[in-house]
């Protein structure tokens, strides 16, 4: 919502910035593995020496049977897991997803801040902003695939 007195030139600048910002989120290469489509893969850039980073993506299952994301690995992290953030009473808790992340047939699962996401821990050679980092995703049925994650 625009405030009174917000000049039309400012509106144009805000609209242009919004389009530019959204375009930057969509440049990771989509990857297909069997019936699975992996899109929008990106990692948040970290400060030097940071021990963890988050990874985000969307997985679409175009098949007729469920699959499951069972493991994650990355050469820049000593450990990687699928995590979930959710409210437990009045406290937000983050924990690993036990048994893998269900991918329903004909559906999609979005891994994003505040919900399911990838957690890269014990970082060494932390990815730098503007780089692409390889991440290996292993699925119960579709198998293993390396996905390029943009570092934003």
């Amino acid at each position: 919502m625009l405030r009174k007195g917000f000049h039309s030139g400012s509106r144009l600048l805000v609209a242009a910035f919004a389009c530019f910002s959204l375009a930057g989120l969509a440049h990771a290469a989509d990857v297909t593995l069997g019936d699975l489509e992996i899109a929008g893969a990106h990692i948040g850039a970290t400060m030097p020496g940071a021990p963890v980073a988050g990874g985000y993506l969307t997985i679409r299952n175009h098949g007729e049977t469920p699959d499951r994301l069972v493991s994650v690995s990355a050469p820049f992290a000593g450990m990687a897991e699928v995590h979930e953030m959710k409210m437990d009473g009045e406290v937000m808790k983050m924990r690993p997803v036990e048994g893998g992340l269900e991918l329903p047939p004909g559906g999609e699962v979005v891994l994003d801040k505040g919900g399911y996401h990838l957690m890269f821990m014990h970082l060494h050679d932390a990815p730098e902003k503007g780089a692409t980092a390889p991440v290996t995703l292993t699925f119960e049925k579709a198998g293993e695939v390396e996905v390029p994650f943009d570092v934003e």
Side-chain angles (χ1 to χ4, degrees):
M1 184 172 230
L2 298 174
R3 294 183 192 188
K4 207 174 209 184
F6 198 70
H7 301 291
S8 62
S10 298
R11 289 182 200 151
L12 181 59
L13 181 61
V14 168
F17 179 77
C19 289
F20 176 75
S21 296
L22 291 174
L25 294 176
H27 56 64
D30 291 355
V31 174
T32 301
L33 177 65
D35 290 328
L36 303 179
E37 175 189 356
I38 300 147
H42 64 284
I43 297 171
T46 63
M47 298 296 291
V52 299
Y56 314 100
L57 66 152
T58 298
I59 304 170
R60 294 180 187 93
N61 183 353
H62 297 289
E64 295 180 9
T65 59
D67 205 337
R68 185 176 298 277
L69 175 59
V70 293
S71 70
V72 181
S73 64
F76 58 86
M79 185 175 175
E81 297 176 333
V82 179
H83 276 205
E84 178 182 24
M85 290 185 77
K86 69 178 186 178
M87 294 299 291
D88 184 3
E90 292 191 27
V91 177
M92 178 68 81
K93 292 191 174 183
M94 180 174 62
R95 63 183 136 248
V97 174
E98 298 297 327
L101 181 60
E102 178 80 21
L103 306 169
E108 77 174 27
V109 176
V110 177
L111 287 81
D112 204 356
K113 296 175 184 172
Y116 292 116
H117 60 281
L118 303 181
M119 199 71 196
F120 301 104
M121 298 165 281
H122 310 293
L123 297 181
H124 46 273
D125 302 322
E128 296 181 17
K129 185 176 181 179
T132 301
V135 175
T136 301
L137 304 177
T138 304
F139 299 91
E140 185 175 72
K141 294 179 182 165
E144 187 176 282
V145 65
E146 185 173 286
V147 179
F149 276 59
D150 290 333
V151 183
E152 301 176 344

